[in-house]
């Protein structure tokens, strides 16, 4: 399964870069065959099953997966849709509404190389959201400063 290339995405970071930064190292990979070379442009937090209609490409999504508590099969469908978008990955706070993912969910993600990331129970989604955005905005700001024709400093 080929991974995504950075070309054309000057203000993005790869998911593997983000997960290696100390403020995000508590987030752990759930599935073994995930392609972490996916560009991340932004982050969204959602609990709605129709999220695919409202998220931009190269977005990392965080959720408690509350809407899938009784039917993880629907989570498999979401993963396949997000992969086609393409989406950078899905961070799930296990232990809140779903204690563990059904093996079929992990198999589905692995079959397309889609990253599933565990968000530790002690972190709020807001904390994770803030950490991701801070890192992404810092990269964007640095790129804007470096590429400004007058060397403009923000």
């Amino acid at each position: 399964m080929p991974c995504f290339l950075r070309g054309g995405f000057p203000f993005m970071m790869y998911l593997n870069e983000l997960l290696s930064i100390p403020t995000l190292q508590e987030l752990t990979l759930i599935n073994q065959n995930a392609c972490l070379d996916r560009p991340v442009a932004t982050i969204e937090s959602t609990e709605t099953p129709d999220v695919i209609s409202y998220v931009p490409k190269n977005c990392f999504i965080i959720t408690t997966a509350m809407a899938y508590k009784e039917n993880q099969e629907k989570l498999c469908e979401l993963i396949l849709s997000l992969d086609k978008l393409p989406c950078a990955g899905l961070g799930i706070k296990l232990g809140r509404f779903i204690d563990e993912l059904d093996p079929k969910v992990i198999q589905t993600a692995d079959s397309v190389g889609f990253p599933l990331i565990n968000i530790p129970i002690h972190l709020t989604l807001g904390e994770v959201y803030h950490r991701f955005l801070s890192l992404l905005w810092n990269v964007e700001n640095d790129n804007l400063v470096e590429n400004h024709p007058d060397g403009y400093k923000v």
Side-chain angles (χ1 to χ4, degrees):
M1 163 118 302
C3 291
F4 297 88
L5 301 176
R6 186 187 300 255
F9 304 118
F11 303 135
M12 295 186 198
M13 292 183 73
Y14 289 120
L15 185 56
N16 60 351
E17 291 174 314
L18 286 162
L19 295 176
S20 70
I21 295 172
T23 58
L24 295 176
Q25 284 182 337
E26 291 179 87
L27 305 175
T28 56
L29 187 62
I30 295 171
N31 55 323
Q32 297 298 312
N33 294 325
C35 174
L36 299 178
D37 292 336
R38 291 173 177 248
V40 181
T42 190
I43 183 170
E44 297 285 340
S45 177
T46 186
E47 297 299 335
T48 61
D50 64 345
V51 66
I52 193 68
S53 302
Y54 304 102
V55 293
K57 292 180 179 180
N58 303 310
C59 174
F60 184 78
I61 298 174
I62 58 174
T63 184
T64 63
M66 174 179 62
Y68 304 97
K69 180 179 180 180
E70 302 300 325
N71 186 354
Q72 289 193 35
E73 181 72 30
K74 292 284 188 187
L75 193 51
C76 294
E77 294 171 20
L78 175 67
I79 288 167
L80 294 174
S81 295
L82 292 173
D83 183 63
K84 286 179 186 171
L85 186 59
C87 182
L90 182 65
I92 304 173
K93 186 173 183 172
L94 295 176
R96 179 77 170 101
F97 292 101
I98 296 177
D99 289 327
E100 62 182 51
L101 292 176
D102 185 294
K104 185 168 184 178
V105 173
I106 296 169
Q107 290 168 355
T108 299
D110 273 343
S111 74
V112 293
F114 188 79
L116 297 176
I117 308 295
N118 182 44
I119 299 171
I121 194 71
H122 68 275
L123 290 178
T124 67
L125 293 184
E127 287 174 301
V128 174
Y129 194 90
H130 182 264
R131 291 175 189 187
F132 262 90
L133 277 181
S134 292
L135 293 166
L136 292 170
W137 287 343
N138 284 341
V139 168
E140 184 172 352
N141 186 52
D142 290 348
N143 277 310
L144 289 171
V145 169
E146 287 175 20
N147 295 312
H148 192 277
D150 298 325
Y152 179 74
K153 298 290 182 192
V154 178

